[in-house]
Structures are given as C-alpha cells and as structure tokens.
C-alpha cells in the first residue's frame, strides 16, 4: 500500500500530498505507523529555504512518535527494553554518523559529524518515507529507538517535540546548580522545556521572558516562577527586574531560546559576573548584534556556550523525567492544533504566525 506523505517540493512552494512506495525492511530496520509528528521552527525555516543543503522535495518531520508495525532482526531498544510489534516508540532523528571523522572519534560530538543524516531534513522524498509528515516512517538499521516509558502518552512527548529535548540539552549544558536563578529567553517549545527542566534540576528561581500571554501561562504551568512579557516590559525594565530578583547581581544561568539576535545582548546585560549563558535558539542565521568583549564577556568572566541540537541521551533522559514527573510536565497542553496530512500547510502557517505553540501532524487522526 502506498504511503501518503506531505511533501515540501521546494522553498515556498505549495505543500503537496504524494504517495510513496512502501519500503522493503532491511535487517535491523523498523517500519512505524506514525502516531504523531510535529511542526517546529525548523520546519518553518525549511519552508522558507533558510537551511543549507536541503534536498527538496522532502518529507518534513524530524521528531515523531510511532507504533511498530514491522521490524527485522530488532529485539530491544537502546535501554535494553524488549521491543515488539505494537509498541510505541520515538527515535533519534540524527543517524548514520560516520564514526570516523574528527567530530565522531576525537571530540565525541557526532551532532557535528558532517556525514550525519537527519530524518525530515537531509532526505529527498524520492529516497523514501524518511520524515514524520507521512502515514509511515521507515527507520533504517542503526537508527536509535526508545520505547515510550510506561505512563507517558505520545501527546506528552510530541507536545514538547524536538524542543523538549533541546531544552533538556540546554539545561544540562548550562551546568545549573541547585538554587541558581535561571532566566529563559523565549517561550516557544525550547524555552518551555528549558524552564520545566531548570525547575526540576533545582533552580531556585526560573524567570521566563517571552510572549504572548498564553505561552507565558504555559511556562508557569511547567515550572516558571516569574514571567516577563516582552509586550509589556521594555528590555531595560526586564534587565532591572532580573537584577531586582538577584540582589543586583544578575542571573546565574541564562538560556537563550528565542531565535532573536537582540536576545543575546539583552541576556549578557542580565548575566551575573561569572554566570553561564547557553544559546540554544539560533538554528538559522537571523542576523548580527554588537557585543562589547570587555563589558559583556571578559570583565564579566562569562561562560558563553552554544547548544546545537541534541544527542540520543537527551531523549532517553528527558523521557525518564517525563515518566517520573508526569504530573509536573503536562507537555500535551503545549499542543495548539492537531492537523491531518492534507492540512500540513495550515499547520506550518499557524506555527509561523505564532497562532499555536506546537502544531502536531497526526496522519491517522
Ligand atoms: Zn563523523
Ligand atoms: Zn524541530
């Protein structure tokens, strides 16, 4: 039976519904029936042609949840849990890293391996069902799979989507210590996740700077103590508010998840001396800002870090946290709209226009 998929044929071209051939399952391969995939900011960048080297036409959808309908020679997931047909899993979109280049072997950063393949981004639709905006997804041998833990419904995973894992990774990278004051810039999926995991990791206070109001309410639901609306507070007032909360020192940790270059200087202005700043929201080039190396970095003794994507461990550990703290992490509430494949264009537009925080594509309803 052909696989129906929503295809981006070229940047800014209308999204088309294609029928893809059912793949033959290689030894080590898994065929999933898509439960839900997501529409994230990266998909908006893909639609606008803002990522390099993308082999249009593509089936978007890099983070997805699916049900195993067929597999060959696979018995367990990466945690050692037995896998069976009917199980609900998610998977790490990055795969086929070369294990031979400098990034893979010397510095253990396969997320920068130049040979890596990524579901929903680096495959042509002509290669097969390698994206989540399709009825089925073929996981090639070697793709890392993890079963959703008991008690974690698919909506709580896909409601956070890739932002769930990126936010988790940014918090891990920040080295956040118990009691720290953390500022999260941005209240999209990455920011919401960063706020939630910062709170769970033991932040003394979590401040989220963002908009609109509905997203700030979600941030508070997920663990933020203070929400500063960029629609109501000027940059200077926001900095003053953070200083007022920290005895004038500034935040211990700042996680940027806004994708707005102006957030960088604003964040540096509200960072305490010796504080740590993680940039996790700039997946595409949105422009340049001016930074004073003396004032912003050197004199401040600042640690400034970038977080590019995620590793598989972030997925496994974020899922473990979802399982344990299920009541505190209702990421299903972030879902603003559920769309069929034929409505993918609408989903994309609703995300681009910030009408919904997380749009999910549910090919089977
Ligand atoms: Zn490599
Ligand atoms: Zn994404």
């Amino acid at each position: 039976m052909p696989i129906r998929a929503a295809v981006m044929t070229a940047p800014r071209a209308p999204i088309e519904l294609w029928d893809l051939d059912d793949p033959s399952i290689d030894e080590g391969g898994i065929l999933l029936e898509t439960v839900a995939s997501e529409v994230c900011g990266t998909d908006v960048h893909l639609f606008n042609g803002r990522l390099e080297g993308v082999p249009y036409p593509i089936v978007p959808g890099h983070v997805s949840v699916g049900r195993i309908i067929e597999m060959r020679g696979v018995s367990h997931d990466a945690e050692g849990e037995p896998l069976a047909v009917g199980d609900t899993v998610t998977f790490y979109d990055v795969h086929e890293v070369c294990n031979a280049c400098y990034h893979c072997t010397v510095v253990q950063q396969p997320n920068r391996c130049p040979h890596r393949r990524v579901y929903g981004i680096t495959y042509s639709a002509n290669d097969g069902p390698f994206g989540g905006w399709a009825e089925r997804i073929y996981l090639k041998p070697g793709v890392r799979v993890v079963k959703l833990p008991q008690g974690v419904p698919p909506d709580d995973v896909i409601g956070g989507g890739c932002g769930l894992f990126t936010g988790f990774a940014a918090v891990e990278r920040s080295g956040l210590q118990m009691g720290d004051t953390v500022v999260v810039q941005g209240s999209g999926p990455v920011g919401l996740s960063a706020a939630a995991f910062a709170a769970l990791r033991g932040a003394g206070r979590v401040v989220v700077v963002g908009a609109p109001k509905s997203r700030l309410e979600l941030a508070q639901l997920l663990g933020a103590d203070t929400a500063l609306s960029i629609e109501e507070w000027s940059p200077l007032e926001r900095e003053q508010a953070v200083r007022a909360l920290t005895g004038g020192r500034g935040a211990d940790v700042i996680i940027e998840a806004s994708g707005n270059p102006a957030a960088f200087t604003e964040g540096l202005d509200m960072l305490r001396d010796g504080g740590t700043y993680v940039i996790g929201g700039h997946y595409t080039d949105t422009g340049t800002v001016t930074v004073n190396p003396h004032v912003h970095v050197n004199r401040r003794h600042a640690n400034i870090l970038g977080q590019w994507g995620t590793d598989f461990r972030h997925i496994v550990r974020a899922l473990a946290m979802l399982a344990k703290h299920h009541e505190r992490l209702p990421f299903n509430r972030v879902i603003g709209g559920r769309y069929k494949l034929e409505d993918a264009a609408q989903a994309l537009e609703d995300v681009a226009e910030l009408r919904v925080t997380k749009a999910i594509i549910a090919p089977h309803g």
Side-chain angles (χ1 to χ4, degrees):
M1 245 184 21
I3 298 172
R4 187 136 272 229
V7 175
M8 274 183 199
T9 54
R12 303 204 143 270
I15 289 173
E16 296 178 2
L17 281 183
W18 287 19
D19 283 333
L20 307 181
D21 291 339
D22 233 340
S24 55
I25 313 297
D26 294 322
E27 184 73 13
I30 299 176
L31 187 63
L32 299 181
E33 176 185 73
T34 310
V35 173
S37 190
E38 59 154 355
V39 182
C40 86
T42 301
D43 299 308
V44 177
H45 298 323
L46 286 168
F47 182 69
N48 289 322
R50 302 207 50 164
L51 270 71
E52 284 166 22
V54 177
Y56 301 95
I58 61 165
V59 180
H62 41 279
V63 169
S64 310
V65 173
R67 204 167 287 122
I68 298 175
I69 49 177
E70 203 181 332
M71 57 185 177
R72 281 193 59 196
V74 181
S75 56
H76 293 81
D77 73 2
E79 286 208 290
E81 288 288 317
L83 284 181
V85 168
D87 282 345
T88 305
V89 301
T90 189
F91 61 92
Y92 184 42
D93 55 350
V94 178
H95 61 288
E96 292 183 11
V97 296
C98 72
N99 290 318
C101 75
Y102 187 80
H103 298 283
C104 285
T105 59
V106 179
V107 289
Q108 277 89 46
Q109 285 166 353
N111 60 340
R112 296 305 306 145
C113 172
H115 305 287
R116 69 196 186 281
R117 309 296 302 269
V118 186
Y119 277 81
I121 297 176
T122 71
Y123 285 102
S124 162
N126 297 316
D127 295 335
F130 298 120
W133 297 12
E135 289 171 327
R136 297 190 283 288
I137 310 167
Y138 178 45
L139 304 186
K140 295 163 95 177
V143 172
R144 292 176 193 170
V145 175
V146 61
K147 190 150 85 172
L148 297 204
Q150 195 82 33
V152 175
D155 277 5
D156 277 329
V157 178
I158 210 69
C162 63
L164 180 73
F165 308 126
T166 307
F168 182 96
V171 171
E172 182 194 78
R173 186 140 165 83
S174 75
L176 162 61
Q177 309 234 20
M178 286 191 283
D180 275 352
T181 293
V182 180
V183 171
V184 177
Q185 298 175 293
S187 49
V190 178
L192 292 173
S193 166
F197 286 117
L200 277 173
R201 183 159 166 161
R205 180 184 292 274
V206 178
V207 180
V208 172
V209 180
K213 195 160 176 282
S214 57
R215 292 188 175 195
L216 294 176
E217 284 167 2
L218 279 171
Q220 289 179 296
L221 178 76
L222 289 163
D225 303 289
T226 306
L228 298 177
S229 167
I230 56 170
E231 293 166 343
E232 292 166 18
W233 300 61
S234 72
L236 181 63
E237 287 169 335
R238 302 195 287 262
E239 184 199 336
Q240 287 168 343
V242 169
R243 293 207 176 271
L245 290 168
T246 55
R249 293 181 298 275
D252 303 297
V253 167
I254 300 187
I255 295 172
E256 186 281 323
S258 74
N260 183 338
F264 185 43
T265 41
E266 177 175 334
L268 289 170
D269 281 334
M270 52 172 74
L271 185 69
R272 78 155 157 79
D273 289 355
T276 298
Y277 192 171
V278 179
I279 298 182
H282 276 88
Y283 260 63
T284 185
D285 185 347
T286 55
T288 302
V289 287
T290 303
V291 169
N292 183 312
H294 170 67
V295 174
H296 285 127
V297 185
N298 201 157
R299 191 181 69 189
R300 185 152 289 158
H301 197 56
N303 307 302
I304 301 175
L305 303 168
Q307 175 61 45
W308 181 258
T310 54
D311 292 330
F312 184 60
R313 74 170 186 280
H314 299 122
I315 296 179
V316 172
R317 290 179 174 160
L319 290 178
M321 294 296 270
L322 276 186
K324 181 169 169 67
H325 300 282
H326 189 238
E327 303 300 313
R328 285 182 60 176
L329 300 171
F331 276 99
N332 61 335
R333 300 272 295 272
V334 183
I335 298 173
R338 190 180 293 268
Y339 303 81
K340 296 196 173 88
L341 286 174
E342 47 268 44
D343 300 323
Q346 185 66 49
L348 200 58
E349 187 185 312
D350 288 348
V351 170
E353 301 295 325
L354 304 186
R355 284 185 213 118
V356 300
T357 305
K358 179 59 74 185
I360 68 167
I361 304 279
H364 303 279

